[in-house]
Amino acid sequence: DVSPVVAGLIGATVLVVSISVTVFVWTCCHQQAEKKHKTPPYKFIHMLKGISIYPETLNNKKKINRIRRDKNSAPKEPGRGNLLVDAAESGLIGSNKAPDGPSAAPQVDQLPIKVDYGDELSPDQSLTPGGSKTSSLSSPGDDVLLGELTFSVDYNFPKKALVVTIQEAHGLPVMDEHTQSSDPYIKMTILPDKRHRVKTRVLRKTLDPVFDETFTFYGIPYSQLQDLVLHFLVLSFDRFSRDDVIGEVMVPLAGVDPSTGKVQLTREILKRNIQKCISRGELQVSLSYQPVAQRMTVVVLKARHLPKMDITGLSDPYVKVNVYYGRKRIAKKKTHVKKCTLNPVFNESFIYDIPVDLLPDISIEFLVIDFDRTTKNEVVGRLILGAHSITAAGVEHWREVCENPRKPVAKWHSLSEY
């Protein structure tokens, strides 16, 4: 015989276990149902010469490699040291291209520069910023013809979809002196929201590429077309450094009416005006140089008015500091990640031993990056100080640092998009 107390305890235990198991099973089923019915933030179809590619279902690595075989055809050669140019992250380009071939590798001379970092920790994940290879400091001159871009715009009323077909380009300039050709591809963004960012495949060694790629963007009402602008950025792929920017094409849809059918357009490719890049917030940095110790101290102070990068309306920013000698990166370091803020305060310093005679060829690049655990980190904005500064404020800041040794010079700078 079992006493009533023991029987009650056994019954209560069985009841608690049954409820717990039921709740656990229901939670698992609910999560699975949410995953099946979850829709991407925006949906588009990519048509590559009759082949439909759905980005939200691209889980097959072989399929990705087959479509992007041109971009991943050159494996990175290990064991070359920190002075090798990183094709995915180097911020300054040179006019000399490395020869093609599996054994080709950039030749970088050893420099008498030592780097001494503070006791700062890097972010948990390695840097994989989206669109970090989208710019270059050099652009073709005003007197150089940059060619023409041909594309078409259509609208699918039943599906509320904007259809953009990038067809071909003609008369592109030579960006690779070694092959006397270019490796062009195109990045397209729908402004002003910048939610839809796509790019074509790379076509090798041609100045008249035929892309024939169609991008279909769903969820865009026809009434909003007049407020949108198509931005095409024409680039030339570079295996060993940042891709060369050939030019850009801006097409306001206010003057395009695809209601009656596909509209064929041809636009001249224009030189990209860096000064017109939309501000991405501001960054405050301090520099000081000790001529006796031949040491440069870089302090990342804080940022403000950064754009919203997360669904919550905030961002998780950190700053990556790249140091270049000429056009070769020689050092890199990251600050801590500041969670859920658009006005982060970093206050982190990095020290570099730089001889005085090398100062005229030194550039310091600051990349403000939004950290994301689930997707690729995205570059928020960019600032360059030193030999390759592209703004008047950056040139003035570097001049003050060189003319006032041992004095910390702190200034605010607007971040550029590229």
Side-chain angles (χ1 to χ4, degrees), residues 332-345:
K332 62 180 179 179
K333 188 63 177 177
K334 305 173 188 176
T335 67
H336 288 95
V337 176
K338 300 300 179 180
K339 296 289 186 179
C340 302
T341 177
L342 301 179
N343 300 279
V345 177

Side-chain angles (χ1 to χ4, degrees), residues 18-292:
S18 301
I19 294 176
S20 301
V21 172
T22 303
V23 171
F24 176 76
V25 172
W26 180 87
T27 302
C28 293
C29 295
H30 184 67
Q31 291 179 351
Q32 291 293 333
E34 283 186 348
K35 289 182 179 179
K36 290 182 180 180
H37 295 88
K38 187 177 180 181
T39 58
Y42 64 89
K43 181 182 178 183
F44 67 88
I45 294 179
H46 180 187
M47 293 291 295
L48 172 57
K49 292 187 176 181
I51 302 175
S52 298
I53 303 175
Y54 296 83
E56 61 269 21
T57 60
L58 270 183
N59 296 322
N60 190 340
K61 294 184 178 179
K62 293 184 179 179
K63 184 182 295 185
I64 296 175
N65 292 335
R66 184 163 61 251
I67 297 301
R68 298 185 178 179
R69 59 186 181 275
D70 291 330
K71 294 196 65 128
N72 300 325
S73 58
K76 188 175 180 180
E77 191 171 322
R80 299 287 298 183
N82 293 331
L83 293 183
L84 276 181
V85 177
D86 190 332
E89 294 178 342
S90 62
L92 304 175
I93 68 164
S95 59
N96 296 327
K97 306 289 182 180
D100 291 331
S103 61
Q107 300 297 325
V108 183
D109 297 332
Q110 297 290 332
L111 300 176
I113 296 182
K114 298 179 181 178
V115 182
D116 181 17
Y117 301 119
D119 296 329
E120 309 296 344
L121 297 178
S122 299
D124 296 335
Q125 293 185 353
S126 59
L127 174 65
T128 55
S132 64
K133 294 177 61 180
T134 58
S135 67
S136 122
L137 290 180
S138 61
S139 297
D142 295 331
D143 56 342
V144 178
L145 298 178
L146 303 180
E148 295 180 340
L149 177 65
T150 301
F151 59 96
S152 64
V153 179
D154 197 1
Y155 189 79
N156 189 322
F157 284 93
K159 297 182 179 180
K160 294 183 179 180
L162 176 65
V163 183
V164 180
T165 301
I166 301 177
Q167 296 174 344
E168 58 188 1
H170 289 291
L172 299 181
V174 174
M175 304 302 291
D176 190 338
E177 298 295 338
H178 178 72
T179 61
Q180 287 297 306
S181 185
S182 297
D183 300 325
Y185 69 98
I186 296 175
K187 287 187 176 182
M188 194 198 81
T189 305
I190 299 181
L191 304 178
D193 292 339
K194 300 181 182 178
R195 292 174 54 201
H196 301 8
R197 301 188 181 191
V198 295
K199 61 182 177 180
T200 68
R201 69 197 189 284
V202 178
L203 297 182
R204 297 289 184 177
K205 298 180 181 180
T206 177
L207 301 180
D208 300 291
V210 178
F211 298 101
D212 192 19
E213 299 191 38
T214 300
F215 301 91
T216 305
F217 303 92
Y218 292 89
I220 299 180
Y222 181 77
S223 59
Q224 295 183 3
L225 288 186
Q226 302 301 311
D227 301 327
L228 302 180
V229 177
L230 300 183
H231 178 238
F232 300 91
L233 189 64
V234 186
L235 304 103
S236 178
F237 175 74
D238 192 328
R239 188 189 306 270
F240 297 110
S241 66
R242 185 172 295 274
D243 295 348
D244 301 331
V245 175
I246 297 176
E248 66 179 357
V249 176
M250 302 284 289
V251 183
L253 293 182
V256 180
D257 184 13
S259 60
T260 58
K262 182 182 296 185
V263 179
Q264 187 87 5
L265 299 171
T266 299
R267 293 289 186 269
E268 183 179 353
I269 301 173
L270 303 177
K271 177 181 178 182
R272 185 169 66 94
N273 191 341
I274 300 178
Q275 300 301 326
K276 291 184 179 179
C277 291
I278 301 174
S279 175
R280 307 289 287 173
E282 296 179 286
L283 180 67
Q284 187 184 39
V285 296
S286 173
L287 305 179
S288 64
Y289 186 72
Q290 303 290 334
V292 177

